[in-house]
Amino acid sequence: MKIPPQIAGLRPGTHTHMTHVPFTAQAYALAELTTTSLRSIVHIVPQDKDIVALAELIRFLAPDISVLHLPAWDTLPYDRISPASSILSQRLSTLGLLASDARPKTYILLTTLNAASQKLPPRVMLATANFSITKGKKLNRDALISFLEGNGYHRASKVMEAGEYAVRGSLIDLYPAGSDEAVRIDLFSDEVESLKNVDPLTQLSGTSVASLTLRPVSEALLNPETIAQFRTRYRELFGAITKEDPLYESISAGRTYAGMEHWLPLFYSHLDTLADYTPEALLTTDYRIDALYKERATDIADYYDARVKHQHAKDAAYHPVPPEQLFLSPKSFAAIWNDHVQITFTPFAGDGVSLDIRSSPQLFHRGKDEHPAQIATNFIAQATKPVILAAASLGSAERIRKMLHLGDIEPSAYFADALKNKVSLAILPIEQGFETDAFLLLTEQDMFGERIIRTAKKKRKSEAFLQEAASFLEGELIVHREHGIGKFEGLITLDVNNTRHDCLKLIYDGGDKLFLPVENIDLVSRYGAAEEHVPLDKLGGVAWQKRKSSLKKRLKMAAEALLKVAAERAARIAPIMHAESGAYDEFCARFPYTETDDQMQAIEDVKADLASGHVMDRLICGDVGFGKTEVAMRAAFIAAAAGHQVAIIAPTTLLARQHFHTFSARFTGLNFTVRMLSRLTLSKDADDTKKRLPEGKVDIVIGTHALLAAGVQYKQLGLLIVDEE
């Protein structure tokens, strides 16, 4: 495929559509567009997970093109926490490269709506904020430390993650922005004797590097200029500081503060945008971006209003920055890109330029009497153009290779120049392929109808004891199961009966020492609370045992109360709700991921509770993204299918709306009515919902604790789901 001349010749300020471009094929279109126009591209997709698939496919199809990644903050607007250090590191690595003279001549920058709609630190700041280190050359140690302190790095006893540095004599360990590994600098006097990569887990040095360029790891830098700027802008925006303000006091003292990035506009005289960093680039977007931008703008306004509402209550010290100072409205976003060529990719027909890229055939739908592997093999053997087979993993690739051998088909090795071969095999994290005039890309899902299975987390091996012990920091408090609170003093090796043993050295009250073999490391854990003024236990003393005994008594009393409540609940009768296999299985098939073992266990436990005929009171715990909502959806389906109403209570109106959109999309096409009831609901819609609930015309209602108000009545409420932090 070649990009049509009318696309390659577009002038700045024009906006067009590329039609018939399935999502995965956007990678191919981007590679062709960059190669044809010799211009860089900024491509915006809905979510960070979309970037992974596109980036891998671009690197496969066009390995000579530089692919950059600008992720969004992994926090909510106006959050109380800072973005993850790894996210900030990746962002600043990309922005620093774009601001420097070393940026690639042409590149494809993949980013998300959330990242592209947020303002950025001034480009001129990142263009000058760098520090170079070269093996064999002199290094001003004080200048390096000053740079690290002023650009977001934190001093630690041991470097474990991006943004940390440690100094031990002539050795300086640091974890640069955007790097996968830490770096160890070995100085001889003031000369860099060696530069080597370091594994943060084992702290062992590895391959040598010739040079290193350091960039900031924080978007909100703390130096005399930015601190003065912050103090002035903060007072101008929020008035005189009349009471305790932890943020203002921390920044004024030059100390980092959790979540300070959310006040980014106050640190600089102005902020730039992604368009300022990429003035020469084309802008391409996924067709879903416009609709998602409106939702994003609404969410930002809601989060801001929620913060302002609580300024005069418990959050009096939290003064949010007005949204327009940190975020771009849809109108502002359109204005800053107005002078760029803009192209929207859509899989549908319509006005614009058609690239005629077709979705790949779904081979698993063909023929009921043949095995899917035989169907795929026959199809590939008869193909008239090169076929690229995308496997999700090395194991899947070997399975496909064995399948092809049965049809006497020998795929080429895993390499990029696939179009020179009849059949090629590659490892690519994509779910659906596509077809062009030049080649056909087939995935496992195209051939077998299987969903891609997420990589399972590796279980810790027994030989990882030393790595576990290495994660303890010298001087921190450790709790031993039998001896109580002690202080960790490092790893030592002891000779006992002519045998060497690696041990943890623990110090107790009075200077008593305990040497714990690393194979017994499961007996100790970190002290989980603040460590200030915590007394150490006496080795062999009775204080720790008394505290354990007292706690056991309290646990026993609590257990007795819980058992009493559980017995009363078990005696009560509840309606039996069964999951009808056909409809329920169809509903479960809409889940686009593979359930984890724990998630599947929770689902089965909830199903058993609903079918038990007893009152259910089950707690499902899990971090963000661990699949709790899917457990709730399946329970709601079972209850609603059994003729019972379901009420879902969320702690905030924002979360209630998010659940409403999620449930509405999942229950689309099913014979269930899903409604929302919160302050964001229009009055007429709220009145209609309250009227229909007692009539049984609403199956699932989602809202805040207002669902429990006296004015809200139900016809047959069978399941209550409470989502709480």
Side-chain angles (χ1 to χ4, degrees):
M1 180 195 79
K2 293 298 180 184
I3 297 296
Q6 60 267 43
I7 290 290
L10 285 176
R11 295 181 178 275
T14 56
H15 188 183
T16 189
H17 286 72
M18 280 189 179
T19 61
H20 298 98
V21 183
F23 172 72
T24 309
Q26 291 179 11
Y28 180 59
L30 290 170
E32 288 291 325
L33 186 58
T34 303
T35 303
T36 303
S37 67
L38 298 179
R39 298 175 67 180
S40 299
I41 294 177
V42 173
H43 184 56
I44 303 177
V45 294
Q47 305 177 71
D48 272 299
K49 69 176 184 178
D50 297 327
I51 291 178
V52 177
L54 295 183
E56 289 298 319
L57 189 51
I58 292 173
R59 293 188 180 103
F60 173 77
L61 296 171
D64 295 332
I65 297 177
S66 296
V67 181
L68 308 180
H69 176 200
L70 182 68
W73 287 356
D74 60 338
T75 57
L76 297 173
Y78 302 104
D79 213 335
R80 289 187 177 275
I81 60 174
S82 296
S85 59
S86 58
I87 296 291
L88 291 176
S89 176
Q90 176 63 60
R91 283 170 58 86
L92 287 161
S93 176
T94 298
L95 293 175
L97 180 62
L98 291 173
S100 71
D101 295 333
R103 70 178 181 274
K105 185 176 181 180
T106 57
Y107 56 83
I108 297 175
L109 172 63
L110 301 176
T111 188
T112 64
L113 168 63
N114 289 1
S117 61
Q118 183 173 306
K119 296 183 181 181
L120 303 168
R123 176 176 174 173
V124 65
M125 181 274 288
L126 290 181
T128 57
N130 57 75
F131 193 100
S132 296
I133 304 171
T134 304
K135 181 181 177 181
K137 292 190 175 182
K138 293 184 180 298
L139 173 65
N140 186 323
R141 179 192 180 102
D142 293 336
L144 172 60
I145 301 300
S146 177
F147 174 85
L148 295 175
E149 289 292 342
N151 286 273
Y153 289 80
H154 301 283
R155 188 161 186 166
S157 60
K158 182 169 58 179
V159 171
M160 298 295 291
E161 59 182 20
E164 293 182 340
Y165 77 96
V167 180
R168 297 189 299 276
S170 64
L171 296 180
I172 302 176
D173 289 353
L174 53 89
Y175 209 132
S179 176
D180 293 329
E181 290 185 293
V183 176
R184 177 165 294 162
I185 306 169
D186 192 354
L187 296 175
F188 180 76
S189 185
D190 59 350
E191 181 180 316
V192 180
E193 187 173 31
S194 69
L195 272 177
K196 292 184 178 181
N197 289 322
V198 175
D199 185 338
L201 188 60
T202 64
Q203 295 291 298
L204 298 177
S205 57
T207 57
S208 297
V209 294
S211 61
L212 173 69
T213 298
L214 300 177
R215 303 189 187 280
V217 291
S218 174
E219 296 181 38
L221 300 184
L222 293 180
N223 55 51
E225 293 77 13
T226 57
I227 292 173
Q229 179 79 17
F230 175 88
R231 286 167 57 86
T232 301
R233 295 285 303 279
Y234 195 87
R235 292 193 301 267
E236 290 175 351
L237 199 57
F238 307 120
I241 309 303
T242 59
K243 52 185 168 181
E244 183 179 352
D245 190 325
L247 168 67
Y248 184 83
E249 293 172 0
S250 293
I251 302 302
S252 298
R255 300 192 305 269
T256 58
Y257 185 83
M260 67 182 189
E261 290 81 5
H262 299 278
W263 286 268
L264 188 67
L266 307 187
F267 288 87
Y268 307 103
S269 59
H270 74 283
L271 295 182
D272 283 338
T273 66
L274 185 56
D276 296 314
Y277 280 82
T278 58
E280 72 287 349
L282 308 177
L283 175 68
T284 59
T285 60
D286 183 276
Y287 73 99
R288 297 166 286 181
I289 294 301
D290 286 344
L292 292 173
Y293 208 145
K294 295 177 181 177
E295 292 184 14
R296 169 71 171 169
T298 301
D299 287 343
I300 291 172
D302 288 340
Y303 283 115
Y304 176 73
D305 290 341
R307 286 299 189 194
V308 171
K309 180 181 178 182
H310 286 83
Q311 274 191 51
H312 305 293
K314 61 181 180 180
D315 289 339
Y318 190 108
H319 302 289
V321 175
E324 63 273 10
Q325 293 195 18
L326 183 57
F327 303 100
L328 294 167
S329 67
K331 184 177 181 180
S332 299
F333 182 85
I336 66 170
W337 291 101
N338 193 46
D339 294 334
H340 295 245
V341 174
Q342 298 182 51
I343 301 172
T344 299
F345 292 136
T346 174
F348 309 113
D351 296 334
V353 179
S354 174
L355 294 189
D356 196 27
I357 303 176
R358 300 164 294 282
S359 297
S360 54
Q362 304 295 292
L363 302 183
F364 64 92
H365 284 314
R366 303 186 178 189
K368 297 182 179 179
D369 298 329
E370 291 184 273
H371 191 277
Q374 186 62 51
I375 296 174
T377 303
N378 292 341
F379 179 86
I380 294 168
Q382 298 170 12
T384 58
K385 62 181 67 172
V387 178
I388 302 171
L389 304 178
S393 64
L394 184 60
S396 297
E398 292 304 320
R399 183 179 67 167
I400 293 174
R401 181 183 289 277
K402 291 178 181 178
M403 175 196 79
L404 295 176
H405 281 168
L406 297 177
D408 294 327
I409 300 174
E410 180 61 39
S412 65
Y414 317 129
F415 70 106
D417 198 4
L419 301 187
K420 295 181 181 179
N421 303 278
K422 169 70 185 224
V423 181
S424 298
L425 188 57
I427 299 176
L428 296 168
I430 57 176
E431 296 187 14
Q432 292 184 330
F434 57 90
E435 183 177 4
T436 73
D437 293 336
F439 66 89
L440 170 63
L441 176 66
L442 287 175
T443 67
E444 287 184 81
Q445 185 166 321
D446 296 330
M447 292 185 284
F448 311 121
E450 297 177 351
R451 296 172 293 186
I452 288 183
I453 299 176
R454 290 172 290 182
T455 303
K457 293 183 178 179
K458 295 181 179 180
K459 295 182 178 179
R460 190 182 67 175
K461 296 181 179 180
S462 58
E463 55 264 29
F465 286 132
L466 278 174
Q467 295 179 355
E468 177 76 12
S471 68
F472 293 144
L473 301 177
E474 290 189 22
E476 72 174 316
L477 299 184
I478 300 294
V479 181
H480 190 287
R481 188 183 303 170
E482 299 300 329
H483 303 294
I485 301 173
K487 183 179 293 185
F488 176 65
E489 290 291 335
L491 278 171
I492 67 169
T493 301
L494 297 179
D495 286 318
V496 181
N497 295 329
N498 297 321
T499 303
R500 297 172 66 86
H501 295 271
D502 293 310
C503 299
L504 282 72
K505 181 180 178 182
L506 305 180
I507 303 297
Y508 283 85
D509 184 37
D512 293 341
K513 302 179 181 64
L514 174 68
F515 299 99
L516 179 73
V518 292
E519 54 266 28
N520 295 331
I521 198 171
D522 57 317
L523 295 176
V524 297
S525 60
R526 280 189 171 89
Y527 185 75
E531 298 186 2
E532 290 82 0
H533 310 298
V534 176
L536 302 182
D537 283 305
K538 182 71 175 177
L539 194 60
V542 297
W544 172 249
Q545 299 300 333
K546 285 183 177 179
R547 296 207 303 274
K548 285 177 60 177
S549 177
S550 175
L551 183 58
K552 286 179 180 179
K553 290 180 180 178
R554 292 166 59 189
L555 290 174
K556 183 178 179 181
M557 293 173 61
E560 290 176 351
L562 289 173
L563 286 172
K564 182 179 179 181
V565 172
E568 293 174 352
R569 183 179 293 120
R572 299 181 62 183
I573 303 300
I576 296 176
M577 304 179 193
H578 284 296
E580 297 182 8
S581 58
Y584 178 74
D585 292 341
E586 181 181 345
F587 179 78
C588 295
R590 296 185 176 192
F591 186 50
Y593 306 103
T594 298
E595 300 86 351
T596 65
D597 292 340
D598 290 339
Q599 186 183 29
M600 203 64 230
Q601 183 63 54
I603 291 171
E604 293 302 321
D605 288 343
V606 170
K607 285 174 59 180
D609 286 343
L610 292 172
S612 67
H614 297 285
V615 174
M616 173 175 66
D617 184 20
R618 181 169 291 276
L619 177 66
I620 305 295
C621 295
D623 208 340
V624 175
F626 276 58
K628 301 185 298 296
T629 303
E630 179 62 20
V631 180
M633 281 190 179
R634 298 194 186 186
F637 178 88
I638 294 171
H644 296 272
Q645 292 174 304
V646 179
I648 303 169
I649 299 178
T652 66
T653 54
L654 296 175
L655 192 55
R657 184 173 64 184
Q658 178 182 328
H659 282 322
F660 174 70
H661 290 317
T662 303
F663 273 72
S664 297
R666 185 66 178 279
F667 280 82
T668 297
L670 303 177
N671 192 26
F672 299 113
T673 302
V674 182
R675 303 296 292 269
M676 183 173 72
L677 196 60
S678 74
R679 67 177 180 84
L680 297 180
T681 308
L682 296 177
S683 297
K684 63 176 183 178
D685 293 335
D687 293 340
D688 183 55
T689 299
K690 291 178 182 179
K691 177 182 177 182
R692 298 176 66 180
L693 275 171
E695 297 174 354
K697 296 180 180 179
V698 175
D699 300 293
I700 301 173
V701 61
I702 302 171
T704 59
H705 289 80
L707 291 180
L708 302 179
V712 180
Q713 303 295 324
Y714 301 87
K715 181 179 181 180
Q716 192 173 8
L717 181 61
L719 177 63
L720 175 65
I721 300 173
V722 181
D723 185 1
E724 282 291 358
E725 295 176 331

